[in-house]
Amino acid sequence: MAKVALITGVTGQDGSYLSEFLLGKGYEVHGIIRRSSVDYRERIAHLEGTPHFHLHYADMGDSMSLVKLVGKVQPDEIYNLAAQSHVQVSFDAPEFTADVDAVGVLRILEAVRTNHLEKTCKIYQASTSELYGKVEEVPQSETTPFHPYSPYAVAKLYGYWIIKEYREAYDMFCCSGILFNHESERRGETFVTRKITLAAARIAQGLQDCLYLGNLDSLRDWGYAKDYVECMWLILQHETPEDFVIATGVQHTVREFATLAFHHAGIELRWEGEGINEKGIVEKVQGDKVQCTKGDVVVAVSPDFYRPTDVVNLLGDPTKAKRELGWNPQSTSFEQLVELMVKHDMQKVTREHVNLAEFLEKGIVK
Ligand code: NAP
Ligand code: G4F
């Protein structure tokens, strides 16, 4: 019998990669989608219609929908990835973030108990390095104290503790993966990495003049999302339910990410000024197709992207995951990650531009 997995957040970056991974392992995969006025299912469009992939409407804010769905699907494994996952947005919508990211975890746990599946259904909770927040040590491991530093992180801390509580109180196999930032060609376009790779591609092709960013000094431990979803599965295959830090063990600043991304788009940057006055200026371009010239200011700082409290020094220690899960944190390096994201976005931007030009020519768009 094929194992049955239920994924919340299936339309997200991680949900889409995890679906592919589990289908490849022979799972029957069920995903939760929610109603919106525009059907945004780009990341999973290629999976829809395949025999072992099923989508169901439910919402993390709607207990009854979760209880009914868990009863209907009878999952062996639940991957709870659904969240309002943007840290800056959590300052603007803190109550919604708490409802989905904190109480939503409780709703999943109770849906499993209500259906009497607590002895058979394993649960993976998408926890986060944001729990370390205003960090108390570097690097951060499973034993580092938490100090959440945003409404998002506070909500995720509740998720972490309620998972631990149900594990101990009801002997459930439920675990948190404390994942550090992981990115990809499918990353949401307002997270800093994707915002940079898309902008570098557009600037190189003459479709954008300048990229505005917030804190350029912020340090992140960036990995590749496709590598990280394997860990989610490995955590649930481990003999005992435990929490794991998943990270590369290497950190870079936002500025370093931008420098490398622009390099892959054919633009060498130099940096001038400090704080709010810092600028990324074109020093050299490679090839005659790049649509900017030496001296152009292509990166500037805008206080709009500063956060009331910002997490600035994340570096994970993946020793436990390496030792106990046999996971390789270095299978995709930082350099490879930036290159593959820029390559993807250079093509995406060209494609979109050509499509738009064709529409304009035919008079379809005014
Ligand atoms: P993402 O791309 O933002 O995807 C979030 C998913 O949650 C989407 O499918 C979204 O559905 C769904 N969702 C949001 N609110 C919902 C609701 N009320 N009911 C049902 N579904 C809802 O996030 P991601 O990068 O894949 O991250 C996956 C999980 O890992 C999240 O929990 C995130 O907090 C956590 N995490 C991410 C990272 C990272 O670096 N990527 C690191 C640590 C932890 P729609 O498509 O309908 O919006
Ligand atoms: O890309 P970010 O928005 O990701 P952040 O805040 O680290 O959160 C992501 O990773 C977490 C894991 O640690 C996840 F739990 C969470 O769900 C999400 O996936 O910002 C990264 C850093 C921040 O310090 C931010 O202040 O980049 C800085 N930054 C500088 N300029 C910017 C910008 N961030 C964004 N989004 N946009 C900017 O213009």
Side-chain angles (χ1 to χ4, degrees):
M1 285 281 281
K3 273 195 188 172
V4 178
L6 176 62
I7 303 177
T8 74
V10 73
T11 55
Q13 170 189 258
D14 292 4
S16 66
Y17 285 123
L18 182 65
S19 298
E20 288 167 7
F21 179 84
L22 294 176
L23 287 168
K25 290 244 167 244
Y27 276 66
E28 196 75 30
V29 175
H30 296 260
I32 289 180
I33 50 168
R34 55 183 180 151
R35 150 86 187 137
S36 65
S37 65
V38 178
D39 253 345
Y40 181 72
R41 296 197 214 155
E42 196 183 316
R43 297 184 180 108
I44 52 167
H46 60 295
L47 300 176
E48 287 191 55
T50 57
H52 303 292
F53 186 67
H54 317 276
L55 296 174
H56 310 267
Y57 282 103
D59 196 292
M60 295 304 289
D62 181 344
S63 307
M64 200 51 83
S65 70
L66 298 174
V67 171
K68 281 194 286 188
L69 188 58
V70 168
K72 180 175 162 191
V73 168
Q74 298 278 308
D76 299 300
E77 295 174 5
I78 296 179
Y79 295 86
N80 184 35
L81 311 185
Q84 189 304 92
S85 73
H86 203 284
V87 174
Q88 189 159 8
V89 171
S90 79
F91 289 97
D92 297 324
E95 186 181 340
F96 173 74
T97 304
D99 190 38
V100 175
D101 298 13
V103 186
V105 187
L106 179 67
R107 293 188 183 107
I108 287 287
L109 288 161
E110 281 298 314
V112 169
R113 291 187 67 228
T114 305
N115 285 290
H116 309 292
L117 296 174
E118 64 268 39
K119 295 289 173 244
T120 56
C121 178
K122 298 179 178 181
I123 303 170
Y124 170 85
Q125 165 59 15
S127 194
T128 166
S129 49
E130 290 292 310
L131 299 189
Y132 301 116
K134 192 176 181 189
V135 298
E136 302 202 357
E137 66 183 20
V138 182
Q140 297 91 34
S141 73
E142 290 81 0
T143 56
T144 301
F146 297 131
H147 189 145
Y149 215 34
S150 65
Y152 167 81
V154 174
K156 283 283 186 178
L157 188 60
Y158 176 88
Y160 173 88
W161 279 110
I162 201 70
I163 285 281
K164 199 167 158 54
E165 176 58 25
Y166 274 49
R167 183 160 76 213
E168 289 171 15
Y170 305 118
D171 198 24
M172 289 170 73
F173 195 113
C174 43
C175 325
S176 291
I178 306 173
L179 271 57
F180 282 61
N181 297 53
H182 43 281
E183 319 294 313
S184 74
E185 313 88 302
R186 298 184 194 170
R187 184 58 145 152
E189 297 183 4
T190 58
F191 294 98
V192 77
T193 55
R194 191 76 199 287
K195 183 174 164 183
I196 292 170
T197 57
L198 274 167
R202 290 191 183 116
I203 289 169
Q205 298 183 37
L207 303 168
Q208 182 175 333
D209 295 328
C210 187
L211 163 67
Y212 292 92
L213 294 172
N215 184 359
L216 297 172
D217 292 315
S218 192
L219 285 156
R220 284 292 181 277
D221 178 329
W222 279 298
Y224 187 31
K226 216 172 178 174
D227 299 337
Y228 281 39
V229 298
E230 182 194 4
C231 268
M232 299 176 183
W233 176 77
L234 285 171
I235 289 172
L236 291 194
Q237 312 317 307
H238 194 248
E239 211 171 304
T240 48
E242 289 178 38
D243 304 325
F244 287 86
V245 160
I246 307 298
T248 68
V250 179
Q251 65 176 183
H252 292 275
T253 59
V254 170
R255 187 184 300 98
E256 284 165 348
F257 190 102
T259 305
L260 193 53
F262 275 83
H263 164 77
H264 287 297
I267 302 166
E268 302 303 332
L269 288 184
R270 72 183 161 80
W271 296 92
E272 237 183 64
E274 271 178 33
I276 196 83
N277 297 314
E278 187 165 356
K279 310 251 180 277
I281 300 168
V282 178
E283 179 62 19
K284 206 166 80 185
V285 297
Q286 292 156 355
D288 50 11
K289 286 201 181 134
V290 177
Q291 303 289 308
C292 51
T293 48
K294 187 172 175 178
D296 287 353
V297 173
V298 288
V299 186
V301 173
S302 163
D304 285 353
F305 301 109
Y306 284 161
R307 296 172 182 183
T309 47
D310 198 11
V311 173
V312 294
N313 194 2
L314 291 179
L315 175 66
D317 174 1
T319 306
K320 182 179 174 190
K322 271 201 287 191
R323 188 183 61 234
E324 294 186 29
L325 302 177
W327 181 66
N328 173 14
Q330 297 295 340
S331 44
T332 307
S333 69
F334 173 74
E335 289 71 21
Q336 289 168 321
L337 172 68
V338 179
E339 187 174 1
L340 70 85
M341 287 178 71
V342 176
K343 266 194 180 150
H344 174 274
D345 284 341
M346 288 293 274
Q347 285 171 9
K348 175 183 160 75
V349 166
T350 311
R351 219 169 33 240
E352 285 172 358
H353 187 52
V354 169
N355 287 347
L356 182 63
E358 276 174 11
F359 276 132
L360 286 170
E361 203 172 296
K362 291 176 188 156
I364 296 169
V365 176
K366 297 211 169 81

